[in-house]
Amino acid sequence: MPSRTPQISPRLRRTYPRLSGLDLSSSEGESLSLDDLGLESSGDRVALAFETYSREGLERALAAYGFTQRLEERVGPFELRLSCQEPFQPRLTFWSRRYHTPVADLSLRRALGAEVGFTHAAAEAPLLYVDSLLLQHPGRPFDWNRPPLPGQLHPGLSLSNDILELLHLMARRIGAEAVALMPATFAAACVYEPRYAFVDGAAQGRFSALRRAGRGWPRWLLAWAVELGCMRDEQGQPALFAPSAMISPLSRRLSRRLDTRGWHEAQRFHAKQPLTLDEEALQARFPWGRMPPGPPPERVVELLGYDPLSPASPLDEGWDRASIPLRSIAGV
C-alpha cells in the first residue's frame, strides 16, 4: 500500500507539545487549577469535546497552529461554535460574521475499528471518525479555473490540507489510532486520497481505475463524468463511485491491516479494469446551468461539444444532489 502515514508540517509538530491539557480544556474566566476546573474525574468533563477541548481551548489551539489567521485571511472574522451535547460526538462550526453562514463545519465522533470493517484486535482500535466535513467560501464565485464540483454550492477554502493536519493532531491528542471517514463523492475521495487509503482493497482499486481512465482530463470534469454515470466498464455498464470507508492510520497495527496480501491482490485486480468515457452521455447530461458564465476552455469544448445556444441540461433544474451539503459521508 502507498504510504498513508500522515505528514505533519514541522511547525505544527513543534507547536503540538507546547499546548498543555489545561490550555485546551480551560474556559475564559476559569482558574487553571484542576480543582477549580473540576477535572479530577472524567464524569465532570461532559462539557469538553472528547473530554479534552473546551471552545476556548480549541480557539487557543487554532491560533497557535496559525489556522485562525489563514482562515481570517480568506473569509474575514469568524466565530467558533462548539456543540457538545455528547462529549464524544462534538460538532465544530466556523461561523462567518461577514457572510452569516458556516465556512467550515465538522461533525466528529469516537468510533471503533469494527465500524470500518476491521476484525480481531483491530476491531477495538479507537478511531476519530469524521461524520461530515464542509469547507466553503460563500463570497467567491465559481469560474472556469475552478468550476463547481458535484454537490458544491460554493467554492472551497483551499484549506483542506490544514484541516486534515489538525484532525491528525486531534486524533493523537485523544488517543485514536486513525482518522476515518467515508467520502460522499469521487471528488471528495480525490482530496483525501493522498493521506487516506480505502480499508477495502477492492474499493481502492476501483478508485484507481477511475483516476487512470480520466488521466489528462481536468479533475473536476472527471468528477462530473463519474457522478453522472458516464464512465463505462467492459460490459458498457456505468462505473459508479460507491462510498467506502477510508482511514489514515496513526498506529503500526492499523497500517499493517492495509498492507496485507489480500488487500494488495484486490487492489491490483480492480485497478486493472478498463474503463471508458461515454462522451455522448456526458454531453447530454452535463449540467451547463451550474457552470460559470462565459465560454469554457478549449479542452472542455472539445470533449463536450459546447453550444452556447443549446438548451440547458434537464439535470440543471431541481437536481437533488446539488442541494445536499457535502457529508462524509465526508466531502470538502
Side-chain angles (χ1 to χ4, degrees):
M1 184 194 80
S3 174
R4 294 297 189 279
T5 303
Q7 300 298 315
I8 307 299
S9 70
R11 183 176 56 79
L12 267 62
R13 288 202 304 269
R14 291 192 300 268
T15 303
Y16 177 84
R18 298 173 185 167
L19 293 167
S20 69
L22 293 177
D23 292 328
L24 299 174
S25 62
S26 62
S27 298
E28 185 177 352
E30 288 184 325
S31 166
L32 291 183
S33 72
L34 290 176
D35 289 338
D36 290 342
L37 286 172
L39 301 184
E40 293 297 339
S41 67
S42 62
D44 294 327
R45 305 180 69 175
V46 293
L48 301 179
F50 299 117
E51 296 186 338
T52 302
Y53 300 96
S54 66
R55 181 183 62 80
E56 292 86 351
L58 285 167
E59 289 177 340
R60 293 186 192 99
L62 294 172
Y65 288 130
F67 181 80
T68 298
Q69 178 182 354
R70 288 192 292 279
L71 183 56
E72 287 182 338
E73 287 172 351
R74 286 164 171 76
V75 299
F78 68 89
E79 173 188 345
L80 175 61
R81 299 177 179 179
L82 173 62
S83 175
C84 199
Q85 295 179 352
E86 295 290 337
F88 296 103
Q89 292 183 326
R91 178 178 179 181
L92 282 67
T93 302
F94 298 75
W95 182 266
S96 169
R97 293 173 179 167
R98 175 178 297 169
Y99 302 112
H100 307 289
T101 192
V103 292
D105 199 358
L106 299 85
S107 292
L108 310 172
R109 61 185 167 90
R110 187 172 66 178
L112 296 176
E115 183 168 337
V116 299
F118 289 133
T119 57
H120 306 298
E124 298 300 315
L127 309 176
L128 173 60
Y129 200 100
V130 185
D131 266 325
S132 65
L133 171 57
L134 172 67
L135 301 174
Q136 62 179 7
H137 194 319
R140 280 179 50 191
F142 290 112
D143 57 41
W144 281 109
N145 291 320
R146 194 168 186 173
L149 294 168
Q152 275 191 320
L153 300 179
H154 303 284
L157 289 171
S158 299
L159 287 174
S160 58
N161 284 336
D162 300 72
I163 287 287
L164 295 180
E165 282 191 317
L166 293 175
L167 287 172
H168 282 116
L169 294 176
M170 176 180 281
R172 290 184 183 278
R173 185 79 64 178
I174 67 174
E177 293 188 40
V179 182
L181 47 80
M182 187 178 294
T185 63
F186 173 79
C190 289
V191 173
Y192 297 126
E193 196 266 343
R195 292 172 178 264
Y196 290 72
F198 288 93
V199 175
D200 179 11
Q204 185 74 46
R206 289 190 290 269
F207 174 80
S208 299
L210 288 167
R211 288 283 297 268
R212 189 183 67 252
R215 189 174 298 160
W217 301 357
R219 185 174 295 180
W220 67 269
L221 186 55
L222 174 60
W224 278 109
V226 173
E227 182 77 7
L228 297 172
C230 302
M231 301 299 295
R232 306 292 184 187
D233 61 19
E234 284 186 293
Q235 289 72 44
Q237 297 301 309
L240 302 174
F241 173 80
S244 184
M246 302 180 80
I247 72 162
S248 183
L250 302 174
S251 71
R252 184 170 298 178
R253 70 166 172 169
L254 292 194
S255 293
R256 287 198 295 263
R257 296 304 297 265
L258 301 179
D259 198 21
T260 65
R261 180 178 178 180
W263 190 97
H264 285 286
E265 287 179 347
Q267 189 276 336
R268 286 193 294 267
F269 176 80
H270 288 276
K272 291 188 293 186
Q273 302 305 303
L275 304 178
T276 57
L277 171 66
D278 185 339
E279 294 188 16
E280 291 186 2
L282 183 58
Q283 291 171 8
R285 301 174 185 177
F286 192 73
W288 285 109
R290 300 199 65 233
M291 293 297 110
E298 183 177 346
R299 175 61 173 151
V300 177
V301 172
E302 292 175 359
L303 281 170
L304 300 179
Y306 172 71
D307 181 355
L309 300 180
S310 65
S313 164
L315 293 177
D316 291 347
E317 296 182 5
W319 187 50
D320 292 338
R321 293 292 297 274
S323 62
I324 300 175
L326 297 181
R327 310 178 53 246
S328 144
I329 256 171
V332 210

